[in-house]
Amino acid sequence: MDAQRPRWQPLQRIRRLLQRNADPNLARIKRRKALYALIGRRIAVLRLSLFFAGYIWMLAIPSSQLDRGVYFDENAMQPAQVNTYWSWKEVHDADRFLDQLELLRDSNATSEQRSQFIANEFRKIGLAASTQSYEFTGVNKGINGSNAYAILSSPRISGVEAMVISASWISRTNEGDGTLNLRGVATVLALSKFLKQYSLWAKDLVFIISDGYMDGMQAFLSAYHGQTQSNLRAQALELTSGVIWTALNIDYPGHSLSHLGIFHEGPNGRLPNQDLLNSFQHIARRTGVPVVLYDHRDDLEYLHWLPENIRNHREIRTYFTQARNLWRHIGYQASGRGSGVHGLFHQYRIDAFTMFALPAAGPHGFHSLGRIIESTLRTTNNLLERLHASFFFYILTNSDRFVKIGNYLPSAILISVAMMFGGLQVWVEAAWAKGPQEEAKTPGAAPMTWVKRRRPILEVLFIMVFTHLFGAMVFFIMSSETYSYFQLAPFLLFLAAYALPLTIPAITPQKRSEAIAPLSLVLKAFNLCLSSTVISIITVLNFSLAACLAVALGIPLSTASSSSTKAVQMVKYSTYVVLGLGWILLRGFAERMIWNWDVLSAWLLPFLCIVYFPLTLQVALVCII
Amino acid sequence: MLWTAILLSSLTFVLGQTEEFQEKLSIKSLRDGRVASSFSFSILLRDASPRDPRFLAFDDDDSHHYTLFPLTLGQILRQYAVTELHLTLNAGKWNYDAWGYPDESGVGVGAELRAWMAEGGPSSIDDRWRGLRNALAGLFCASLGSLDEQRTTSPALSFPPDGYLPDWGLPHELRHASYASEHVCTENLTPFLKLLPCKSLSGLATLLNPHRLFDADWHGIGLHVLWHPEGVEVRLNVQLVSDPIRISSSRKQDWSFKTLFDRKVQKPCPVAKSSLVVVNLPSSGIYRVDPEPSFIKDGKAYYDLTNSPGSWNIKTVWPGDFEYPFSDSTPLVPFSVRRKLLSSAQDTGKLSIVVTNNQEEQLDLLYLETMPWIIQFYLHTARVYSDENLISNISYTLPVPHARPGTFESVLTLPGRSTLTFAMDVQKAFLRYTEHPPDAQRGWDLPPAVFTPLAHNGSTKQMRQFYTPSLLVDLATPDFSMPYNVIMFTCSVVAFIFGSVFNVLTRKFVIVRLEANGQK
């Protein structure tokens, strides 16, 4: 019997577990206590593994394991199911329009002359056309221009819905470096003439030739939707149509095209419905034009340092191709500016993207482009409702592959959870202090005593509110008109922002009793919890920005600590302030951000000033208090 | 005494009635190369009068003996004692600036129904209005049943009776409803043609070819019943604006019966008292009208097709290609209106009306908005952007959520050559889950606003209504699809995690051993 005992022991244990003679509540509380004790003991390991998992996950997003092929969700769209009628006659029309536009370009025509010419061409086609002049005041004084637009009131319909076909005068090449989008404009003109011949449109068609790169469309759309922008004087529109559902923006700067690129990011992290992009890339492929994401042709020259057999491995090629796309995506989305003119439509709940004709010697041109646009318009024409199926949260890793929200969101969330755990841990630590060692009655293990102490919440909250107000002040200085006049302004602002918070340790009481927790601990706890909350909220609004924050704040904020020597304290303080506000010294970067805020209302500048910088400032203060 | 009068009147109605049928088609080439055609079929029931609602209690109405007058319609009119009735079903956006006023003023998009009825008798006006709606819905295969209480209004001034109201000593009331989402199509035309004495077999109605009618840029059918001392008149009309340049795919604006309707008039309608085609001749340019008209008067060519055998294919031919008017031409109507619902938010918006007076004289306009309750006006935010106070006589019937639309009526005064901007904040309703239509993400169509120019003595009589295009409004719509479920699920998980974390932070779990009190 005794010999058999060990064998039966596990079974008996199970039986004991199943027996319900013990109080179940008691058992639950016991289990819970044990779990929390475990978490408490292993918190350091847990945090480290969460950080590790988060960063690894982030690096894994471009891999082909996390993404999947695109598919259609909205069955009404029926892409590439129609015969297209665009033919060489229309190509000829487009060429004639192009000739006239080139004449305009060579004669250095003003904005007004240009828009008047385009509006007249629209009128000759038989469309209701008009122009709209606009002017920005304030910081970006001198941005002005004139848009031309036409409305095709489609037969038989009430005209309450509309689709937009637009082209900006300046192409998106190098983010609007001044290359003219003449062929894009010619395409729109030829399309307007061609599309008028059909009675099958179920929505009004609005053709817009916007002046400038982004500014013209911003002026047009704010006037169309009756939004007022304090620094914009835009003429009211003489002609209007219904609610715009979809918009296609055409960018064709080169002589011919080899690929069509998709640009889809909108301002402040908005994305168009994926069905629209899917339809376009499906149609383009059917027509025979290869589609790429952005203007990335499929050559990975920057990988030349890798050995050939590794470089040509399928998995690795895919990873690096997609990583490059992802990097570009993060840049566009996090900057809050979007990747082009189409983004401006997203502000008004219009799904839009830019089809960018990659300049090349061939083989495609107006003929393929026109057919693709015609077919895409027929597809959006099929919509009975706004695009609502499919995805609004996605990351395109390639033109035909995407990562679902569930596969990318957790990476940033894991990091924010790690930060939250760190904050809670510091919070708990702040509540306890080592008590005076009791006299060891028994030699050996003298039990450590812990004494509870008060946590100064009010002071810390005061400091935090101060930092955010301080950030708001920095923001107002940066967005004011005078800021851009002084060459030295960024430098002075940085110095002020660096020096002013140094007064805080002087006004906070230095010597505290043992019964009160040090300010720095509580501040760090709050700072970590707040940063974690900010990151997890931003993940759904603008994942790219959240990922950048997770990288920029995750480890640095968690490792902040006070130091005994003044010198080390100052070094730490300076590091954190540079991390938080160093960007204002990068002249080009800051200027572009101010422009984006002023003209396009991109939120990155206020966000950096009012949320991001104060968070780093708080942690900088942790080091010196 | 009264009884004899009724008996006598019904006798005269049965025996002494004479019925007349007249048809007319007028065709006009428009400035933008399009061609507007307007068919009008009118049937006059001489010396007849509408039914007095007090006699609805007596089932003695035996006046359903018609020869030309459509019986199905006559039954409906008498069953519900309707004095005056207007029904229009239109598709497209009438471009007043380029096309001028239409021959028949009812060009609001979708379905519009209005009726004048006398109060009194056994059933109330609202009961009869409901019955009328449903009967007409059945007759015309149209969604007129949707013109329910939530869309029915009674504007005080904008729609005066076109005919006369009988002096029965009873108050007459107007019921008006419009439904912008209604699409007019063949199923509405077929019952419409059945009301005509010759159907579409002969006469001008031959030309009503559904393939061409419903391909026109703008098309609409209308039914008007009105009473004047001569008798009860039913007018059925079809209007269309076709684009010969689009149809022919050449650049010419030439039109003929054959190109516009793909048919010719082969034989006359034998019961038609008159059958007339009127072609508005272009004011300038070289053109040829074929065949030679019967006579020309005031720049109009008249063709009398009454009882004339032979096939008619009237046409106008221009020698050269059509050139679109290059510069901005002046509008053909005394005033132009732009109406828009601004803002892309889902809870509030701004209704904006821009009215331009194209004349030198001052213009008084009666402005009517009949809004479903999903849009509620904030009247205190109403602003008129102009130097003077140019809005007066405001009357507003508040909407009742889920029950009654709002009616806003006022008079706008525009000095000569001026532009007036009227803007008002609106609130968009938050709908119940079940109130959303199947295509919830499309939005809601709002009926057109109606402008009526007032004569200098302030009367609206003989003034033509001006319909703005309809609007589409986005209301807060739940996503009735998968992401909606995902959001709900995620929220539940977050709430659960928050609860647990909150518990941990605020509560302390200890094991309390209770001494067994007295037991064991």
Side-chain angles (χ1 to χ4, degrees):
Chain A
M1 287 294 278
D2 272 314
Q4 286 178 349
R5 207 180 158 80
R7 216 202 290 172
W8 288 106
Q9 213 167 18
L11 266 184
Q12 277 172 346
R13 200 189 282 166
I14 292 169
R15 196 191 295 158
R16 223 179 299 138
L17 274 173
L18 290 174
Q19 276 170 353
R20 297 197 163 249
N21 49 12
D23 185 356
N25 289 325
L26 191 67
R28 207 178 65 225
I29 291 172
K30 270 183 178 163
R31 268 204 308 278
R32 195 179 287 179
K33 274 191 91 166
L35 182 67
Y36 292 147
L38 184 73
I39 292 177
R41 276 202 310 277
R42 300 262 179 266
I43 187 83
V45 180
L46 190 65
R47 282 174 59 201
L48 206 64
S49 51
L50 280 170
F51 269 123
F52 195 67
Y55 288 122
I56 292 289
W57 196 320
M58 234 173 239
L59 286 176
I61 290 174
S63 87
S64 60
Q65 302 304 314
L66 285 179
D67 63 1
R68 54 159 301 164
V70 297
Y71 60 91
F72 300 100
D73 214 335
E74 173 67 278
N75 292 320
M77 297 191 85
Q78 301 285 309
Q81 298 293 310
V82 293
N83 291 322
T84 49
Y85 302 104
W86 176 275
S87 66
W88 293 107
K89 181 177 162 291
E90 282 71 38
V91 174
H92 178 74
D93 285 339
D95 282 330
R96 292 290 75 73
F97 283 125
L98 179 65
D99 292 345
Q100 288 170 297
L101 291 171
E102 279 171 347
L103 277 179
L104 272 182
R105 174 197 61 191
D106 298 339
S107 64
N108 284 329
T110 62
S111 283
E112 274 70 35
Q113 287 169 332
R114 247 168 19 212
S115 61
Q116 207 56 50
F117 166 79
I118 293 167
N120 283 340
E121 289 302 317
F122 279 132
R123 285 191 195 113
K124 278 186 205 161
I125 293 165
L127 299 171
S130 185
T131 59
Q132 180 213 21
S133 58
Y134 63 90
E135 183 190 7
F136 282 89
T137 56
V139 182
N140 289 288
K141 221 175 277 176
I143 301 179
N144 57 31
S146 178
N147 301 317
Y149 62 99
I151 288 165
L152 167 57
S153 297
S154 302
R156 307 185 295 173
I157 57 144
S158 54
V160 292
E161 301 141 24
M163 305 188 280
V164 164
I165 302 129
S166 68
S168 55
W169 183 252
I170 291 175
S171 157
R172 70 162 321 287
T173 315
N174 296 328
E175 312 303 325
D177 64 354
T179 315
L180 297 187
N181 181 21
L182 292 183
R183 280 184 168 73
V185 176
T187 312
V188 173
L189 282 167
L191 270 170
S192 70
K193 187 173 178 184
F194 167 71
L195 300 176
K196 191 176 181 288
Q197 300 167 26
Y198 299 98
S199 65
L200 46 79
W201 301 114
K203 296 163 178 56
D204 276 3
L205 291 166
V206 183
F207 303 94
I208 309 169
I209 308 295
S210 62
D211 207 356
Y213 174 44
M214 302 271 261
D215 41 319
M217 190 58 85
Q218 173 79 358
F220 181 87
L221 287 175
S222 7
Y224 194 94
H225 293 96
Q227 298 283 342
T228 44
Q229 195 175 330
S230 58
N231 59 345
L232 169 65
R233 266 207 300 273
Q235 202 185 349
L237 299 182
E238 280 173 27
L239 307 164
T240 54
S241 179
V243 181
I244 303 172
W245 281 1
T246 54
L248 306 181
N249 186 53
I250 296 152
D251 206 323
Y252 185 4
H255 174 267
S256 293
L257 64 108
S258 57
H259 297 68
L260 281 171
I262 299 178
F263 284 85
H264 61 289
E265 289 88 356
N268 305 322
R270 294 197 67 150
L271 295 173
N273 191 286
Q274 215 200 343
D275 268 336
L276 185 67
L277 309 176
N278 296 349
S279 316
F280 165 69
Q281 64 95 5
H282 181 77
I283 289 165
R285 262 166 232 272
R286 282 291 185 92
T287 317
V289 181
V291 179
V292 292
L293 201 54
Y294 309 115
D295 44 12
H296 291 159
R297 283 198 193 80
D298 202 16
D299 43 5
L300 296 165
E301 280 162 12
Y302 63 93
L303 287 183
H304 58 87
W305 49 272
L306 278 173
E308 185 140 353
N309 52 349
I310 294 180
R311 198 168 58 208
N312 290 336
H313 187 271
R314 219 180 106 255
E315 202 61 29
I316 290 181
R317 273 196 81 83
T318 315
Y319 181 84
F320 279 102
T321 313
Q322 307 203 138
R324 182 167 61 158
N325 289 335
L326 184 69
W327 183 247
R328 193 85 180 265
H329 171 77
I330 287 179
Y332 284 132
Q333 207 184 17
S335 76
R337 168 194 168 97
S339 54
V341 177
H342 60 271
L344 303 168
F345 286 94
H346 297 176
Q347 304 173 73
Y348 303 99
R349 214 175 150 224
I350 301 164
D351 294 296
F353 70 97
T354 293
M355 50 180 89
F356 181 70
L358 264 66
H364 301 290
F366 282 135
H367 189 253
S368 325
L369 187 64
R371 284 174 47 170
I372 291 168
I373 298 168
E374 185 196 352
S375 192
T376 311
L377 283 173
R378 291 287 295 276
T379 293
T380 51
N381 189 46
N382 285 338
L383 285 176
L384 299 173
E385 305 177 52
R386 260 177 203 283
L387 281 165
H388 63 280
S390 190
F391 300 99
F392 285 96
F393 298 109
Y394 57 89
I395 290 178
L396 283 188
T397 47
N398 223 327
S399 66
D400 57 351
R401 297 193 71 79
F402 76 105
V403 189
K404 281 187 179 184
I405 184 166
N407 285 358
Y408 67 79
L409 203 70
S411 55
I413 294 284
L414 285 179
I415 293 167
S416 94
V417 168
M419 291 168 76
M420 179 61 85
F421 277 178
L424 293 176
Q425 186 195 7
V426 177
W427 171 247
V428 172
E429 270 170 19
W432 299 94
K434 274 184 203 155
Q437 199 86 351
E438 278 179 34
E439 279 162 53
K441 296 266 167 63
T442 48
M448 183 97 85
T449 56
W450 292 94
V451 181
K452 220 169 169 184
R453 55 183 178 180
R454 195 172 70 78
R455 289 171 286 201
I457 295 172
L458 215 59
E459 290 97 318
V460 169
L461 283 183
F462 182 76
I463 293 176
M464 289 174 77
V465 169
F466 163 77
T467 55
H468 287 282
L469 287 179
F470 188 62
M473 205 179 70
V474 170
F475 167 65
F476 282 117
I477 292 174
M478 284 192 78
S479 56
S480 72
E481 258 179 81
T482 39
Y483 180 78
S484 50
Y485 287 150
F486 295 110
Q487 283 289 322
L488 280 177
F491 191 67
L492 292 176
L493 183 64
F494 182 80
L495 271 189
Y498 178 86
L500 271 177
L502 284 174
T503 55
I504 289 186
I507 51 175
T508 48
Q510 286 299 316
K511 197 63 204 159
R512 285 167 170 276
S513 72
E514 284 297 314
I516 302 174
L519 270 183
S520 61
L521 269 188
V522 181
L523 182 59
K524 188 180 170 189
F526 277 27
N527 173 259
L528 278 172
C529 291
L530 181 63
S531 318
S532 154
T533 318
V534 165
I535 291 174
S536 37
I537 290 172
I538 301 284
T539 44
V540 258
L541 300 175
N542 188 342
F543 175 76
S544 303
L545 183 59
C548 294
L549 285 180
V551 171
L553 298 180
I555 301 271
L557 259 57
S558 304
T559 52
S561 62
S562 192
S563 163
S564 49
T565 54
K566 205 80 187 162
V568 179
Q569 274 184 11
M570 282 319 288
V571 169
K572 281 183 172 176
Y573 176 81
S574 314
T575 319
Y576 282 116
V577 171
V578 168
L579 175 72
L581 206 62
W583 49 269
I584 70 165
L585 298 175
L586 306 172
R587 204 158 177 87
F589 180 76
E591 262 172 16
R592 199 161 348 117
M593 207 141 47
I594 294 171
W595 193 92
N596 288 348
W597 161 250
D598 194 54
V599 176
L600 307 175
S601 315
W603 294 340
L604 187 64
L605 179 70
F607 178 81
L608 285 184
C609 290
I610 301 175
V611 180
Y612 171 76
F613 164 60
L615 286 178
T616 53
L617 186 61
Q618 285 157 22
V619 82
L621 288 173
V622 167
C623 302
I624 55 168
I625 284 178
Chain B
M1 194 59 200
L2 185 70
W3 282 109
T4 22
I6 297 160
L7 211 63
L8 271 173
S9 74
S10 59
L11 267 178
T12 50
F13 198 84
V14 177
L15 301 173
Q17 66 179 258
T18 48
E19 297 174 41
E20 278 179 26
F21 173 61
Q22 298 188 345
E23 53 181 15
K24 184 181 164 192
L25 164 65
S26 61
I27 300 186
K28 185 161 71 172
S29 281
L30 301 171
R31 198 166 66 182
D32 60 359
R34 292 184 172 87
V35 175
S37 325
S38 167
F39 292 83
S40 167
F41 307 94
S42 114
I43 304 164
L44 179 68
L45 201 57
R46 211 171 267 285
D47 300 329
S49 58
R51 193 175 191 190
D52 188 324
R54 283 172 298 192
F55 301 144
L56 284 173
F58 314 114
D59 192 19
D60 64 340
D61 192 47
D62 51 359
S63 58
H64 298 322
H65 301 288
Y66 310 118
T67 46
L68 301 177
F69 197 86
L71 175 66
T72 44
L73 183 64
Q75 281 172 337
I76 293 172
L77 294 174
R78 300 203 67 83
Q79 169 85 40
Y80 302 108
V82 180
T83 306
E84 187 173 322
L85 170 76
H86 300 272
L87 168 69
T88 52
L89 296 167
N90 300 323
K93 192 159 67 172
W94 187 273
N95 186 350
Y96 284 93
D97 287 352
W99 303 345
Y101 271 116
D103 285 358
E104 290 285 346
S105 62
V107 292
V109 70
E112 189 193 20
L113 176 66
R114 62 179 201 267
W116 281 93
M117 291 181 282
E119 181 70 273
S123 56
S124 71
I125 285 190
D126 287 318
D127 286 342
R128 278 148 56 206
W129 168 246
R130 187 182 313 121
L132 174 71
R133 254 172 16 218
N134 292 328
L136 287 173
L139 185 59
F140 285 103
C141 295
S143 318
L144 302 178
S146 321
L147 301 174
D148 53 4
E149 286 69 30
Q150 298 194 19
R151 298 184 181 272
T152 303
T153 56
S154 309
L157 302 168
S158 293
F159 299 107
D162 282 4
Y164 294 81
L165 300 177
D167 186 17
W168 291 325
L170 300 176
H172 268 81
E173 279 187 37
L174 170 73
R175 290 290 179 273
H176 169 266
S178 56
Y179 184 57
S181 318
E182 176 67 12
H183 296 280
V184 52
C185 201
T186 321
E187 76 266 19
N188 311 119
L189 183 71
T190 312
F192 179 86
L193 290 174
K194 277 189 184 161
L195 301 179
L196 298 172
C198 296
K199 315 291 187 266
S200 62
L201 299 171
S202 60
L204 293 178
T206 325
L207 298 176
L208 294 174
N209 173 4
H211 289 282
R212 284 306 172 85
L213 174 60
F214 296 116
D215 184 50
D217 283 16
W218 190 93
H219 50 260
I221 60 180
L223 164 73
H224 306 274
V225 181
L226 48 103
W227 177 74
H228 42 81
E230 272 182 76
V232 173
E233 185 189 347
V234 171
R235 204 169 66 243
L236 296 144
N237 67 277
V238 176
Q239 295 185 94
L240 62 152
V241 176
S242 344
D243 191 351
I245 298 166
R246 171 161 65 80
I247 296 170
S248 68
S249 76
S250 70
R251 302 276 295 162
K252 303 188 80 172
Q253 62 174 142
D254 300 354
W255 60 263
S256 67
F257 283 177
K258 191 77 185 140
T259 59
L260 290 184
F261 309 108
D262 200 23
R263 280 183 191 166
K264 298 174 192 172
V265 183
Q266 302 283 7
K267 53 185 175 194
C269 176
V271 292
K273 190 185 168 207
S274 78
S275 183
L276 205 62
V277 177
V278 183
V279 177
N280 283 43
L281 299 174
S283 52
S284 62
I286 307 163
Y287 57 91
R288 182 167 62 86
V289 194
D290 182 69
E292 204 55 32
S294 312
F295 59 95
I296 294 179
K297 201 175 114 186
D298 301 335
K300 288 176 183 172
Y302 289 82
Y303 295 87
D304 193 356
L305 274 62
T306 321
N307 292 320
S308 68
S311 96
W312 287 85
N313 181 24
I314 296 168
K315 60 174 98 168
T316 309
V317 183
W318 281 261
D321 281 359
F322 178 72
E323 291 286 324
Y324 285 101
F326 182 69
S327 59
D328 242 0
S329 348
T330 47
L332 295 173
V333 280
F335 62 98
S336 317
V337 180
R338 277 204 320 272
R339 173 170 173 252
K340 212 154 159 49
L341 194 61
L342 300 171
S343 128
S344 53
Q346 293 190 325
D347 55 342
T348 54
K350 189 181 225 181
L351 184 74
S352 143
I353 306 274
V354 181
V355 193
T356 309
N357 184 357
N358 302 324
Q359 301 171 306
E360 298 295 341
E361 301 92 64
Q362 175 179 314
L363 186 68
D364 290 323
L365 287 175
L366 191 60
Y367 164 42
L368 170 71
E369 258 332 320
T370 53
M371 258 318 161
W373 59 267
I374 52 172
I375 294 289
Q376 286 161 14
F377 297 144
Y378 286 138
L379 274 200
H380 67 282
T381 62
R383 295 277 178 281
V384 179
Y385 297 95
S386 187
D387 302 338
E388 305 155 57
N389 187 20
L390 300 174
I391 185 162
S392 55
N393 294 15
I394 297 176
S395 79
Y396 181 47
T397 313
L398 278 166
V400 177
H402 314 281
R404 187 180 76 185
T407 313
F408 177 84
E409 214 170 8
S410 68
V411 175
L412 305 176
T413 309
L414 279 88
R417 299 266 167 224
S418 67
T419 297
L420 178 149
T421 305
F422 172 80
M424 177 159 54
D425 286 356
V426 298
Q427 190 195 11
K428 301 180 184 175
F430 192 76
L431 296 187
R432 292 173 189 156
Y433 192 78
T434 48
E435 278 171 334
H436 288 278
D439 52 348
Q441 299 284 344
R442 176 169 185 274
W444 290 73
D445 282 292
L446 302 179
V450 181
F451 286 83
T452 318
L454 295 172
H456 288 301
N457 56 9
S459 90
T460 54
K461 194 86 182 166
Q462 302 306 320
M463 281 303 191
R464 291 186 289 188
Q465 284 88 15
F466 178 107
Y467 288 81
T468 66
S470 65
L471 297 171
L472 189 71
V473 60
D474 280 322
L475 301 181
T477 314
D479 189 346
F480 295 99
S481 62
M482 188 269 291
Y484 181 58
N485 305 330
V486 174
I487 291 167
M488 304 234 301
F489 180 72
T490 318
C491 290
S492 315
V493 170
V494 168
F496 170 73
I497 293 174
F498 173 79
S500 313
V501 171
F502 188 73
N503 260 340
V504 174
L505 288 178
T506 55
R507 276 158 67 171
K508 192 173 172 189
F509 296 95
V510 290
I511 298 165
V512 183
R513 297 207 180 275
L514 293 176
E515 288 304 315
N517 248 347
Q519 290 174 8
K520 288 184 186 174

